[in-house]
Amino acid sequence: MTVIEFAEKRLEEESGYNLDDARYWAAYLDGARAQKREDEEAKGHD
């Protein structure tokens, strides 16, 4: 399971119960996805 998959799972689990935790996981996912894009772009510029 990737970090993004884990965060998606946690977001889904928390979204019905704890809004603060859901916001945390949503922000975490945004950052993880942005980092993945940066990493993929960097690979293309080697």
Side-chain angles (χ1 to χ4, degrees):
M1 176 180 288
T2 67
V3 170
I4 291 175
E5 291 169 335
F6 177 79
E8 288 171 337
K9 181 178 181 278
R10 289 303 316 243
L11 175 59
E12 184 178 323
E13 291 171 356
E14 296 297 341
S15 63
Y17 301 104
N18 188 329
L19 187 55
D20 288 336
D21 285 350
R23 286 183 183 135
Y24 169 84
W25 286 110
Y28 187 96
L29 267 172
D30 286 345
R33 289 174 177 149
Q35 185 64 57
K36 183 179 178 188
R37 281 191 301 274
E38 287 182 21
D39 291 347
E40 289 171 350
E41 288 173 7
K43 284 182 186 176
H45 294 100
D46 286 344

